[in-house]
Amino acid sequence: MRFEFATAGRILFGPGVSREVPALAADFGRRALVVTGREASRAAPLRDALRAQGLETTLFTVPGEPTVALALAGVEQARAAGCDVVIGVGGGSVLDTGKAIAALLTNPGDPLDYLEGVGRGRPLGQAPAPYIAAPTTAGTGSEVTRNAVLSVPEQRAKVSLRSPRMLPRVAVVDPELTHSAPPFVTATAGLDALTQLIEPFVSHAANPFVDALCRDAIPRVARSLRRAFEDGADAGAREDMALASLCGGLALANARLGAVHGLAGPIGGMFPAPHGAICARLLPVVMDANLRAPGPHLKRYAEAAALLTGRPDATAEAGVAWVRALCAALDVPPLSRYGVTAADLPEIARRGQKASSMQGNPVKLTDEALIDILTQAL
């Protein structure tokens, strides 16, 4: 047995821990770039608290899915203001943008030097600027992962800027920050979190640390995602989902993902579809496809089904049915809602086969199998 387990330099979890961000930032620098979502006013209390701690602040907003150009704009703004610490407060797009800015701030040159897929994939030569990540959604686990997913619109691609150096210095997971997430975001982010627990658990790169995280977190999603969707003020459900998302980020960073994410990357690059919504739509279909091939993963899927349903004798097929029912209850839209058509499926399958996430799938899926999965998800 051989494995590695790496994560953020420090993880703070619990209601109210986000109030510690200013003191944490003061340990890293004096000028902070605060990266946040399109509702910039929500960052005002944090900026006030940072100023009270003696830090100067510059605000950078992320209006949607992160792109290479957006990350470069953030780098330019940070350099112009002399920023020496980066703080990301928002959903996965915000956290990934902040992570990329922190990396590129200290590694000048063409970002294509470092990007996977469309670039040269060179390692970062210098450690990123200190980065503090505080998620406001429960889904991506980006606060504890070592990559930033960026779109390259001119190539209709989504690729990763990836390095072990990119793990945030501090991950601040405050469930209270997720209470304002709307139902659709709660649902799709939560199903992304579930995907990031199931895929590492059944992957061929699973290890005892990841197993323990997934076995604890999958039941949390099972009992709390629908509750958080129906009542965003349910503090217990929000705490469960925040912890499940954190565990999913830890799991994917230290094992592998699978066909859901292998297909989600190309779809997200080719169409204006939220990552979580794509994963939510694909998850039960990919689970079902993987069950058609023999292998040790079948026992893993059966265990995941037991964790989801609470029934020790649950079959792997019962797990698929449970996930399908949850997706229906949470109103997960079909891929066609985002403009995907049958004519696009061969190209998505072709790109998916090359995706790094696809290499972690416990079953080798043919192009025909991938097209069948996508057809069911339309």
Side-chain angles (χ1 to χ4, degrees):
M1 183 184 298
R2 183 186 187 281
F3 64 88
E4 173 189 356
F5 194 91
T7 189
R10 185 179 177 191
I11 299 172
L12 279 69
F13 182 93
V17 294
S18 58
R19 290 188 282 275
E20 299 180 38
V21 168
L24 293 167
D27 287 339
F28 296 127
R30 306 313 302 167
R31 295 183 178 88
L33 181 75
V34 178
V35 184
T36 189
R38 59 171 58 92
E39 294 183 30
S41 60
R42 295 177 61 181
L46 172 61
R47 296 184 73 189
D48 289 343
L50 288 165
R51 283 190 283 265
Q53 194 72 34
L55 280 81
E56 298 178 20
T57 68
T58 298
L59 188 68
F60 185 76
T61 59
V62 178
E65 295 282 319
T67 65
V68 173
L70 183 69
L72 282 176
V75 170
E76 291 176 5
Q77 187 169 324
R79 285 185 180 145
C83 294
D84 48 14
V85 59
V86 181
I87 304 169
V89 183
S93 294
V94 169
L95 297 191
D96 274 9
T97 303
K99 205 184 302 183
I101 291 171
L104 296 174
L105 190 57
T106 57
N107 289 273
D110 189 340
L112 289 176
D113 288 341
Y114 312 110
L115 288 174
E116 296 176 350
V118 301
R120 301 174 186 87
R122 289 170 46 189
L124 296 179
Q126 302 295 325
Y131 182 49
I132 299 172
T136 61
T137 62
T140 68
S142 180
E143 67 274 12
V144 288
T145 62
R146 62 186 84 190
N147 69 302
V149 179
L150 303 173
S151 292
V152 187
E154 57 271 23
Q155 299 194 39
R156 300 184 74 201
K158 263 190 174 181
V159 295
S160 278
L161 177 63
R162 189 189 310 273
S163 170
R165 294 172 178 256
M166 288 176 62
L167 288 162
R169 296 286 187 91
V170 188
V172 179
V173 186
D174 186 342
E176 291 179 351
L177 296 182
T178 70
H179 286 206
S180 60
F184 177 78
V185 172
T186 297
T188 55
L191 285 165
D192 186 21
L194 180 60
T195 305
Q196 293 173 173
L197 292 164
I198 292 176
E199 288 202 308
F201 188 65
V202 303
S203 82
H204 52 71
N207 63 65
F209 277 47
V210 167
D211 290 349
L213 292 164
C214 296
R215 287 177 176 132
D216 179 85
I218 289 173
R220 293 181 186 275
V221 179
R223 71 183 179 226
S224 294
L225 178 51
R226 192 179 301 203
R227 285 167 47 201
F229 174 75
E230 294 172 348
D231 178 10
D234 186 327
R238 290 295 196 183
E239 184 167 307
D240 261 352
M241 289 307 303
L243 184 53
S245 176
L246 172 63
C247 290
L250 292 167
L252 78 89
N254 291 284
R256 300 296 292 270
L257 289 166
V260 173
H261 281 82
L263 294 170
I267 294 170
M270 296 168 66
F271 300 92
H275 173 75
I278 301 169
C279 291
R281 185 64 175 176
L282 291 172
L283 177 59
V285 190
V286 168
M287 291 173 67
D288 183 58
N290 284 340
L291 294 184
R292 298 176 193 174
H297 65 285
L298 298 180
K299 290 184 178 180
R300 287 288 180 134
Y301 272 117
E303 184 177 352
L307 294 169
L308 288 167
T309 64
R311 301 196 312 270
D313 61 345
T315 64
E317 291 76 13
V320 176
W322 190 95
V323 173
R324 285 190 191 279
L326 178 63
C327 290
L330 300 185
D331 300 322
V332 173
L335 297 182
S336 58
R337 181 79 57 84
Y338 303 105
V340 183
T341 70
D344 301 306
L345 305 190
E347 176 62 14
I348 295 171
R350 186 189 69 79
R351 294 190 185 195
Q353 289 285 25
K354 298 180 179 180
S356 59
S357 291
M358 191 68 74
Q359 313 317 309
N361 201 62
V363 174
K364 174 61 178 175
L365 296 171
T366 64
D367 286 355
E368 291 74 15
L370 294 180
I371 290 172
D372 181 59
I373 288 167
L374 293 164
T375 299
Q376 293 181 60
L378 279 179

